[in-house]
Amino acid sequence: MITILLPLIPLYLLTVRLLRFSRINRLHREYAARHGLASSPPLRRERDKAPTRKELPMTPAEAQKILLEGVLLEMPWILPKALEFALFKSNDDMLYTLSTFILEPGVWAKEFEWRPLTPVEEMAWHVFFSEVGRRMGIENIPDELEDLTVWAEEYEKAHMVPEEACRDVASGTTRLLLHNVPRRPRWLIRFGEQVVACLLYDRLREAIMLPPPPRLLKSLVVSSLHFRAFLIRHFFLPRWKATTFLPIHAPAFPKGYVPVSEPSSKSDKGASEKGDGSNNGEKLKPRTHILFYNNEAWYTAIPRGPASLLQSFLLLTGLKRVDQVPGPAYKPEGFRLEECGPTMYEGKGEEEVRRIAERIHGGVLEGPYAVGGVEKGRCPFGL
């Protein structure tokens, strides 16, 4: 058996080498074809200089498609983590917070992923989130990525100083990152907090008033992530299927829900039996469920059948806590955009939120995100 398998190892490694960059190469060829370029843009920066909009023009919609390729397929763990850790740097200055969502993914990919972001991808993050910022009413967003990078660096030097408010934000972010770490024994949480500190650069760590982690631990954490990147680049085939929190392309109504505009002659029994809060046969606004969750199980349907038995087993054995699994406290009936937010504001300002969402979206919301909309429609987060 071994003699049969041994010749397959070089063949597998060669296949990985041939396919590992196939998606990003295709993305660059398609970009070149759309913009009439003689050749594909380079995969790396030239002289470590950020690309300009004149060099790499793209629309916000084009940028979003490029960005999603990276988040969903190329780097589905590191890029979301970069955005989560960007929350450590968030504050009341919306422009600075926006800059972290543009810049941190590139920093994390360069440091911890199997390849850095290409200039096209860097530009996509800049163009997409700059457009989001403009639709939110954020002003004075630098047009060029290099200018934004310089501005953010100068802002941090002037404003990133130790403060209680920074520590409070960091504590909340750390709790979310460590939500699935067991509470017993207690040293696990303390160890997790030190691991988080290992991934923060000194200026940020000092601003949130965290002591430096042990040097050996930091070396182990960083080396582990570098080793992961090495394995992915040389031994793992590309991911072919994306796992998303929400249905992105042409979402449909969850089973058992009907638009409010449906004729009243149709039966309401199906909706009522789904446990969705139907009252006296009243037609409900369609809702959407989270497909999977990392921390708290908000808007996740309560499992049934074998999945329900597995969840009960995990709870009984202590492998999962009640706050780690879907349940009535986490609104398993699903969500609507205008209802999302802190529970203290539940039921308040929904019409205003819907109007703001449609203004940011650039049109009337459709599909399960609308009230009485068509069964399938454009995602409200799509540009």
Side-chain angles (χ1 to χ4, degrees):
M1 178 64 71
I2 295 178
T3 56
I4 296 175
L5 293 178
L6 280 178
L8 296 178
I9 295 176
L11 179 62
Y12 174 79
L13 296 178
L14 178 61
T15 303
V16 172
R17 184 177 180 84
L18 292 174
L19 295 180
R20 174 44 64 185
F21 284 85
S22 60
R23 181 176 290 109
I24 190 61
N25 285 330
R26 172 187 56 76
L27 186 148
H28 277 226
R29 288 194 302 270
E30 291 174 351
Y31 176 88
R34 284 194 303 271
H35 294 272
L37 303 180
S39 61
S40 297
L43 295 180
R44 290 183 175 271
R45 285 187 177 189
E46 297 179 356
R47 300 182 299 276
D48 199 34
K49 180 184 177 184
T52 66
R53 292 200 177 223
K54 184 177 180 180
E55 294 169 340
L56 295 174
M58 66 180 68
T59 65
E62 183 181 14
Q64 185 177 36
K65 291 179 181 178
I66 294 171
L67 179 153
L68 286 175
E69 289 260 355
V71 172
L72 300 180
L73 294 165
E74 291 283 272
M75 309 174 191
W77 189 70
I78 283 293
L79 293 184
K81 279 290 174 285
L83 297 180
E84 291 172 11
F85 272 77
L87 295 175
F88 280 104
K89 304 169 71 172
S90 62
N91 59 21
D92 292 335
D93 191 317
M94 295 296 289
L95 178 55
Y96 174 69
T97 300
L98 180 73
S99 76
T100 66
F101 279 73
I102 294 172
L103 300 174
E104 286 301 293
V107 172
W108 277 65
K110 183 178 181 180
E111 179 65 25
F112 299 125
E113 261 298 357
W114 61 273
R115 66 168 177 84
L117 296 185
T118 69
V120 168
E121 290 174 309
E122 288 185 279
M123 182 57 67
W125 282 88
H126 179 44
V127 170
F128 172 74
F129 275 106
S130 293
E131 179 66 15
V132 170
R134 278 188 284 273
R135 296 189 185 197
M136 291 175 63
I138 300 176
E139 299 179 346
N140 301 318
I141 303 172
D143 286 333
E144 297 295 349
L145 183 58
E146 184 69 27
D147 294 339
L148 179 68
T149 304
V150 172
W151 178 88
E153 176 68 17
E154 293 300 320
Y155 182 94
E156 287 190 8
K157 289 179 180 178
H159 298 280
M160 191 173 281
V161 294
E163 287 185 4
E164 290 291 337
C166 294
R167 185 170 66 177
D168 292 342
V169 171
S171 296
T173 303
T174 303
R175 282 196 299 272
L176 283 176
L177 291 171
L178 302 179
H179 181 78
N180 290 315
V181 176
R183 296 294 185 264
R184 295 287 188 276
R186 291 185 178 181
W187 63 266
L188 281 176
I189 290 293
R190 292 195 295 271
F191 176 75
E193 291 171 346
Q194 289 190 327
V195 169
V196 170
C198 291
L199 299 174
L200 305 175
Y201 58 94
D202 289 342
R203 184 194 296 158
L204 174 58
R205 181 185 52 73
E206 291 168 2
I208 61 178
M209 306 172 71
L210 279 181
R215 288 187 178 181
L216 178 59
L217 177 61
K218 182 168 184 175
S219 177
L220 287 173
V221 170
V222 172
S223 297
S224 297
L225 290 173
H226 289 170
F227 183 60
R228 169 190 173 274
F230 174 82
L231 290 178
I232 291 174
R233 178 166 180 148
H234 298 287
F235 295 94
F236 282 64
L237 289 169
R239 180 186 296 263
W240 299 110
K241 184 179 180 180
T243 302
T244 62
F245 290 97
L246 294 169
I248 293 178
H249 301 294
F253 290 120
K255 186 177 180 181
Y257 293 85
V258 291
V260 292
S261 59
E262 288 258 341
S264 59
S265 59
K266 290 193 175 184
S267 172
D268 296 318
K269 183 178 180 181
S272 299
E273 289 182 342
K274 295 299 176 183
D276 52 19
S278 179
N279 183 24
N280 297 325
E282 179 185 0
K283 294 292 182 178
L284 298 179
K285 302 172 185 176
R287 295 176 176 274
T288 300
H289 288 95
I290 297 293
L291 300 180
F292 75 94
Y293 60 94
N294 284 329
N295 298 314
E296 295 176 337
W298 283 100
Y299 312 119
T300 305
I302 296 176
R304 302 180 185 277
S308 175
L309 295 177
L310 175 61
Q311 178 171 302
S312 298
F313 171 78
L314 294 174
L315 289 172
L316 287 173
T317 56
L319 296 175
K320 287 281 188 179
R321 305 188 305 272
V322 174
D323 65 342
Q324 292 178 312
V325 298
Y330 293 119
K331 298 188 180 298
E333 66 271 16
F335 75 94
R336 294 187 52 74
L337 289 181
E338 65 268 21
E339 298 173 354
C340 293
T343 53
M344 69 178 72
Y345 299 119
E346 188 172 2
K348 301 176 182 178
E350 292 185 3
E351 286 300 324
E352 181 182 1
V353 170
R354 185 160 32 269
R355 286 195 300 270
I356 293 173
E358 290 183 344
R359 175 175 56 80
I360 294 175
H361 180 58
V364 176
L365 299 179
E366 299 174 320
Y369 307 95
V371 177
V374 295
E375 184 167 331
K376 293 185 178 181
R378 189 161 60 101
C379 174
F381 306 109
L383 299 181

